[in-house]
Structure formats: C-alpha cells, structure tokens
Amino acid sequence: MVSRFWSKVKMTIHLHSYLNIVKQESPGAVESIKKTVNELIPKYIESFTHKDHVKGLLLGQVQSGKTGQMLGIIASAADADSAFSVFVLLTSDMTGLQQQTYKRALAAMDTFNVCDEHDEMRFREIGKRKPSLIVLKKNSKILKKWRNIIAKSGFLQSGRPIFIIDDEADAASLNTKVNKKEQSSINSHLNDIVNLATSSFYLQVTATPQSLFLQTRKSGWQPSFVYYFPPGKGYLGGDFFYSKPKPFTCRYTADDELSILLDTEDTPDGMKRAIETYLVTCAHDVLKERAKVCNFLVHPSVRKNDHELIRYKIEAYVQFIFRDIGAKTVRDLLEDAWKNLRKSRPDIVAFNEIIEFLGKKDLQISVYKLNSSPDSSSRRTFDTGFNIIVGGNSLGRGVTFKHLQTVYYCRSAKTPQADTFWQHCRMFGYDRDPMLMRVFIPEPLFFLFAEINASNEMLIKQIEHGNLKDIQIITDTKIKPTRKSVIDQEKYSLIVGGVDYFPPRPDQNDALNVDSILESYTEEGVHDISIDEAVAILESFASDPDNDWSISAYINALQSIKSHKDMQNIVKLIVRRNRNISRGTGTLLSPGDRELGKKYEDVSVITLYRLNGRKENGWDGRPFWIPNIKLPVGKVFHRVD
C-alpha cells in the first residue's frame, strides 16, 4: 500500500490542475470548491482507515454546481491518498446526462484517465499510469459490465480502496424492493462494485436527501456524515422563487388550466400570457444583451401524448402572434407582458423597439418535446437558440437549461412527493436574469413549492447544527417525503400534527424527578414555554420501544420545528395534578383539556398529568407523571427506527 507520507509529498497536483481549468470557465466556483475540499478532505479522506466501507452525503441545492464540487473532491482525494486509483462517477440512466458529465470531466480532469462507458482498453492501459475516473450510467447492463472489467483489471489488489461518487444517489441507487425482502438490480450491482475492494469511500450526492435520511442503518445506505455546501453568489433558488408573500417572479394561472390544455381545443390564458412574456424577453435579450440563447420550459404532466398536444398548441399560438403582430389586440397583449416585466426591470428595451424587432420575424422560435419517446429531442443541450421545451420526468434531475427565463408549470399529483417535485425546479441556477424571470403556476402549486422550500431549509439548518442522528423530516400533511418503495415500512413511522400522543405503558418511577422540574408551573391557565424548555421537560420521561413510544422522536420533532422559518418557537404547556385515571381506558385527556389543546393549532401542546397511580385503577400504587404531546396541525413528522 502507498504510504500516507508519500501521498502528502505529492501535494495537490490534481486539484491545482483542475482548479486552473475551472477558473477559465467559472472563476466564481473556485472558492466554493476550495472551501468544500478544505473541510471535507482532512476530516474524512485523510482519516480514511482503508479498512471500512464509508458512505457519506454531499448535499447541495438544485443546480447549484454539484458537478464542479464532485470533480474537485475526486481531484483532492487523489492528492490526499494515492491509494485511490479507481474512481467511479455514477449518473442517472440518461445517455445525454451521462455524456454531459463525461465530457465535462474529460475537459476539466486532465491529470486523470477519464473513461467513457466504452473505454475498457483505455482504462486497462492508461489506468496503470494515472488515476482513472469512469463515468457510468446507473444502468444494470453497464454496471454489471464494469463490475467485471474493474475486477479483472487487478487495480484494486493489495488492499487498494475504490472511490465512488453517486450523483442523484436518492433516485435509482436505493433498494426499491426492500419491502418485498428482495434487492433491486441497480442496488445489487452497486453493492457488487463496492465489494470489489476491501474498503471503499462512497459519496452520495443530491439536492433532495429525504429518502437517504429515511434509510435504516441496517440497509447500508444511510449516510454516516453529511457535508452541505451553500450555493455561490448569484444563485437563484427556493427563497427567490417561492418566498412568502408571493414574489414578483410568480404569475398565478387558473387552477383548471391543465384540463383546458388537454381536454378542449382552447389554449388557456395562462399559457398565452407565458408565451407572450417569453417573446418579449427574447426580444429584449437580443436587442440589449446580444443574447444567442433564451429558454422557456413547459412542465404540464408525465404523459408523452400530452406533450405532443401541448407542443402543437404552443406552435399555433406563436405563429398567431407573429402573423397578427400588427393587429391592436396582439400588440395590447404583448404590451401587457412588457409592462409586467418592466415592473422588475425598469430598463427593459422600449416597447416600440420590441414590436419592431418581433415584426421583422427574424426571431426563430423552436418548440421541442423532451421525454423518452423516439422522436424526442433528448440529445439536444439547448445551449443555443430560442427554445420552448415541453416535457415531464425528463425535465428533472440533472438536466440543465442555459438562460432559462420563463417557466410554465401545471403538473399536479394527488399526493405529491417532496423530492420529486423539488427536482422539477429547473429554473434554479446562476445564469438567469433575475429581474426578467417569470414562473406561471396555479396558486395551490405555488404554496406547495413554498412549503417544500420551508421544509428543505429546516432540513439544512439541522444538518448545519451537525447532529445527523437527530435529523427530522417535516412535510405538510398533503405531501409525501419520497416514494414508499425505498423505505422499509416495518421501521418507518409518522407523527401526525394535531393528534394527541401519550405512552401506552408510562414509566411509573418518575414522580420525584418530574415534581421538581414542574414545581413552578401551576395548574391554572396555559403556560408559554420555549422549545428548549419543553425539551428539558420531556427529557425527564422514558421511552417505551416495545410500544412505539420514543420520547427522543418527539424531542427531535420539537427541535426541528425550531429550525423551521415559518413555525413558532413556542410550546403551550398544560399541567394537571391529583388525577385518577384508570389504566387501559384508551384515553388520557379530559374532554375539557382536549378542547383546550385544540385551540392551539399552529404550535405544539404538551399536557402533563400527575396521576395518583392507585392500584384499583390498574397502576402500581404510587404517583407518576404521564405526558400527552400534540404537534402543530397540518404537519407530518417522518422517522425511521
């Protein structure tokens, strides 16, 4: 094995070369990458034992520069420990995305042997002289093929570890058959690649970690550490697009626009306003910015037939605008769009210049479908031209759109998944003109995204506090955190806000301890206490794992509420003494106290009863306290045992 001393003597050959190349294209990204490697490498790579299989998580925002961070970590890992000679970078199972990542790595990692999926000979030959980076799709056939190639190469002999970076690790890597007591093929192949070496460093990467945090430790896919890198300067994300009150970027559309699009011959008003806004934006960009690209994303549903119908309607309306641009009705529509844009961009090109430019018909607008159908434009990059892109699932995870300025979103679901919907936010990123951004969306969907944004921010705050085992995922009652198939349902449970919870078998030995803690709290009225004070009280009570009563779960829920920007740091405390309640009645609260607790929907309520514990009531014959906990209405707290 290569000694640590030798790896340190080599210093930062790979990182230095990589950052010099990055500086030419994205100088603003260099400092962020340096910060990540300076914090992550010493803590996790330099201390790597070469005996363990380590899984960690690199967390970033949607389209915040994760690929640049991943390549920087690979370069730094090779510098820090030259025992790492085989690196595998996994992408989603999309040829266009895999090729995009491969070409970027090939251009930026000039000290590495960068291999495509078909570069077996290159890997075998050049891999003897340079560390190899293999960019693979998460595809069963590809993973099985490269498992065998790496095994036969002999590069992992003599105890050398393998380094794997799994982009969008929450998407396809997890075991989708966990509840059938089986293993899905992708998950199995990834385990096989990990087990080629006696030790491994596996870095999961995503912007939506809900499913990863809901993995059990036994599964082997729960991260042992998390590193969050904040987005760089100029990033437009959730707080920009989904703040409360509604930001200027948002324009509400009718709730029934999707049905009008699909079930009638009409084009709904919201879609028309979005097209008019996009045309004015394109004209401004060409006239003032000399732009050569401007994109418009339309995300209506997952059905491919829907995409074709909507593309036809968009093309027809664009043609109508250009054909009748001299008509007063068309000019008035475009002027309304221009006036709306001028509210946020006062220096927008004058309207008469916009009309004159559009009237020349020199602006070539192309409308594309982007999905898995044979006639889809899935291999295009949309880095040039003025494009309207219609699609569904293909508009998510990893797909980037340069200078995306207009978005029309009307996709709905009966019970939306937080991670899936958040990945639809392709408008997030760096190269947008913030003052000309517009998102056309129904009001209920806007508030859905606003809720997911608040939940994500709360999650990041918990991560920044550093206690990984106490991370709590909170969603609205109408939102699932992730898909059911990747969570072990035997270990998964919910705490639903607005429901009263109390231990079925309370600890009957806590009276003296809790008496002293609650001494200052009278039975009169309702006490306002902080979440920290509430946690200190609850820590006096014991858990009952046999009956699914975990006091730590309620404590974690309260602490996560404290991190939620839209929730109050207040707990209502109700204290009652000298109570005689029989065991096994199935209820705890008196009707009056139950109604009292219901008055407080937006905050948590803790009701503490001191029972006399008489034997004739089925207890042990001594006093004790029993807690009743009700978390805020409308929230669901997800946990895995």
Side-chain angles (χ1 to χ4, degrees):
M1 178 164 309
V2 179
S3 71
R4 285 296 168 82
F5 173 77
W6 176 244
S7 68
K8 286 189 179 291
V9 169
K10 290 181 70 177
M11 298 300 287
T12 59
I13 296 171
H14 301 295
L15 180 63
H16 180 74
S17 177
Y18 170 66
L19 291 180
N20 278 341
I21 294 173
V22 171
K23 191 182 297 183
Q24 298 172 23
E25 292 290 329
S26 305
V30 171
E31 289 306 313
S32 177
I33 295 170
K34 283 183 179 179
K35 183 176 184 296
T36 295
V37 299
N38 286 340
E39 294 183 11
L40 193 146
I41 298 298
K43 190 171 182 179
Y44 301 109
I45 300 299
E46 292 180 3
S47 62
F48 183 67
T49 64
H50 298 86
K51 298 178 182 179
D52 303 313
H53 293 286
V54 175
K55 272 197 176 69
L57 170 61
L58 176 69
L59 178 63
Q61 302 282 2
V62 172
Q63 298 195 149
S64 64
K66 291 189 292 296
T67 302
Q69 301 281 332
M70 291 189 294
L71 296 178
I73 291 168
I74 290 170
S76 294
D79 284 326
D81 189 344
S82 56
F84 285 117
S85 62
V86 177
F87 295 81
V88 177
L89 175 52
L90 302 167
T91 75
S92 299
D93 189 13
M94 293 176 58
T95 299
L97 182 56
Q98 184 269 341
Q99 283 295 298
Q100 174 182 295
T101 306
Y102 164 69
K103 290 175 182 177
R104 183 167 174 182
L106 188 64
M109 307 288 280
D110 62 348
T111 61
F112 277 72
N113 174 34
V114 180
C115 299
D116 195 3
E117 295 175 342
H118 312 292
D119 291 339
E120 178 180 351
M121 292 301 298
R122 180 183 180 91
F123 171 67
R124 292 182 183 277
E125 296 302 319
I126 304 178
K128 298 173 183 178
R129 305 189 298 274
K130 291 182 177 183
S132 292
L133 171 58
I134 314 160
V135 184
L136 305 176
K137 294 193 297 287
K138 281 179 275 190
N139 171 281
S140 290
K141 184 177 179 180
I142 295 294
L143 294 177
K144 185 177 181 180
K145 168 188 170 182
W146 274 93
R147 185 263 177 211
N148 295 331
I149 292 171
I150 295 170
K152 292 177 182 178
S153 72
F155 291 161
L156 298 180
Q157 292 177 352
S158 303
R160 283 181 176 269
I162 189 170
F163 197 113
I164 300 172
I165 290 193
D166 187 351
D167 193 15
E168 307 298 351
D170 59 311
S173 306
L174 300 177
N175 185 11
T176 59
K177 296 183 177 181
V178 62
N179 296 300
K180 298 178 180 179
K181 308 303 180 185
E182 299 173 12
Q183 190 173 15
S184 54
S185 59
I186 298 294
N187 186 257
S188 177
H189 290 315
L190 292 177
N191 276 335
D192 288 345
I193 293 174
V194 167
N195 292 327
L196 288 173
T198 56
S199 64
S200 65
F201 195 91
Y202 194 114
L203 189 62
Q204 302 164 313
V205 183
T206 188
T208 48
Q210 288 87 343
S211 61
L212 299 177
F213 287 138
L214 291 173
Q215 296 298 298
T216 63
R217 187 174 301 174
K218 181 181 177 181
S219 73
W221 291 85
Q222 184 187 85
S224 60
F225 72 87
V226 181
Y227 180 80
Y228 170 70
F229 73 93
K233 185 179 180 181
Y235 176 77
L236 305 181
D239 281 347
F240 180 77
F241 290 102
Y242 296 118
S243 60
K244 296 178 183 178
K246 181 186 72 171
F248 70 85
T249 58
C250 176
R251 296 192 66 180
Y252 287 153
T253 60
D255 294 356
D256 62 345
E257 290 231 342
L258 182 58
S259 62
I260 296 173
L261 268 171
L262 302 180
D263 301 332
T264 75
E265 295 182 359
D266 297 332
T267 300
D269 289 341
M271 172 66 80
K272 293 177 180 178
R273 303 297 85 82
I275 294 170
E276 294 149 11
T277 297
Y278 173 66
L279 294 177
V280 173
T281 302
C282 289
H284 167 87
D285 282 350
V286 173
L287 291 170
K288 189 159 189 174
E289 312 296 340
R290 299 292 183 261
K292 296 182 179 180
V293 57
C294 186
N295 286 313
F296 172 16
L297 201 61
V298 178
H299 197 145
S301 73
V302 297
R303 295 175 53 193
K304 299 171 189 176
N305 290 341
D306 295 348
H307 304 158
E308 179 59 34
L309 173 62
I310 292 169
R311 181 175 74 166
Y312 169 78
K313 288 190 172 185
I314 292 171
E315 287 178 337
Y317 193 70
V318 170
Q319 291 170 5
F320 161 73
I321 291 290
F322 281 118
R323 184 183 68 243
D324 292 354
I325 199 165
K328 183 178 184 304
T329 52
V330 172
R331 291 171 64 94
D332 288 346
L333 291 171
L334 292 171
E335 187 170 16
D336 285 342
W338 176 82
K339 287 178 178 177
N340 180 268
L341 291 169
R342 189 177 62 171
K343 291 178 181 178
S344 56
R345 185 72 189 264
D347 64 340
I348 190 172
V349 170
F351 180 65
N352 62 331
E353 295 181 48
I354 297 281
I355 285 294
E356 183 180 354
F357 173 77
L358 293 176
K360 293 178 181 177
K361 299 180 176 58
D362 289 337
L363 185 65
Q364 182 63 46
I365 303 294
S366 302
V367 187
Y368 298 99
K369 285 190 306 182
L370 187 61
N371 54 39
S372 58
S373 61
D375 61 338
S376 168
S377 303
S378 57
R379 294 184 180 274
R380 283 186 54 90
T381 60
F382 305 104
D383 288 343
T384 60
F386 299 87
N387 313 296
I388 303 177
I389 305 105
V390 184
N393 288 344
S394 296
L395 302 183
R397 295 188 179 276
V399 182
T400 59
F401 299 93
K402 191 173 182 179
H403 200 55
L404 174 61
Q405 290 297 140
T406 312
V407 174
Y408 177 90
Y409 190 99
C410 60
R411 177 172 172 174
S412 61
K414 290 182 178 178
T415 310
Q417 293 173 188
D419 52 1
T420 299
F421 268 63
W422 201 242
Q423 289 287 351
H424 295 167
C425 296
R426 297 295 105 190
M427 72 285 283
F428 292 5
Y430 292 99
D431 71 334
R432 288 77 165 103
D433 182 336
M435 298 300 103
L436 292 179
M437 282 295 319
R438 291 296 184 271
V439 178
F440 293 78
I441 188 170
E443 186 175 12
L445 281 177
F446 170 82
F447 282 102
L448 169 69
F449 279 103
E451 177 61 34
I452 296 175
N453 181 52
S455 179
N456 287 346
E457 284 199 344
M458 176 275 299
L459 196 59
I460 289 168
K461 286 182 181 178
Q462 293 180 71
I463 290 167
E464 290 177 329
H465 289 158
N467 198 352
L468 184 59
K469 68 181 181 67
D470 292 337
I471 283 179
Q472 179 80 56
I473 294 174
I474 303 178
T475 66
D476 186 272
T477 53
K478 298 177 181 178
I479 305 171
K480 294 188 296 184
T482 187
R483 58 205 186 281
K484 187 177 181 179
S485 62
V486 298
I487 302 175
D488 187 341
Q489 297 299 312
E490 291 182 357
K491 303 294 183 181
Y492 171 65
S493 61
L494 306 172
I495 304 174
V496 180
V499 175
D500 293 299
Y501 292 94
F502 61 91
R505 294 175 56 188
D507 178 17
Q508 298 180 53
N509 302 296
D510 60 11
L512 292 178
N513 183 33
V514 180
D515 280 346
S516 61
I517 294 173
L518 298 177
E519 185 177 5
S520 61
Y521 296 102
T522 68
E523 297 184 42
E524 300 299 324
V526 179
H527 305 275
D528 282 356
I529 62 174
S530 69
I531 286 178
D532 289 340
E533 290 171 319
V535 167
I537 292 172
L538 291 182
E539 285 175 340
S540 304
F541 293 93
S543 292
D544 180 11
D546 292 337
N547 287 278
D548 196 28
W549 169 264
S550 171
I551 199 67
S552 62
Y554 296 99
I555 289 173
N556 291 346
L558 287 174
Q559 290 173 331
S560 65
I561 290 171
K562 185 180 174 182
S563 303
H564 199 296
K565 67 177 184 179
D566 293 330
M567 300 177 75
Q568 300 180 52
N569 184 17
I570 295 175
V571 174
K572 299 292 183 179
L573 177 65
I574 302 170
V575 178
R576 301 286 185 258
R577 295 177 175 86
N578 193 30
R579 295 281 161 154
N580 290 309
I581 299 176
S582 295
R583 188 170 194 164
T585 60
T587 185
L588 170 68
L589 295 177
S590 68
D593 286 339
R594 187 180 301 277
E595 290 304 312
L596 179 60
K598 285 182 179 179
K599 292 181 179 180
Y600 307 104
E601 294 189 346
D602 297 332
V603 297
S604 300
V605 180
I606 298 176
T607 305
L608 301 176
Y609 277 14
R610 191 181 194 275
L611 272 62
N612 294 322
R614 298 186 307 186
K615 288 187 177 181
E616 55 265 38
N617 292 129
W619 306 108
D620 292 349
R622 57 185 181 274
F624 65 95
W625 288 87
I626 187 167
N628 186 94
I629 304 169
K630 181 173 72 70
L631 298 174
V633 173
K635 303 297 179 185
V636 178
F637 302 78
H638 307 264
R639 67 187 184 96
V640 168
D641 184 3

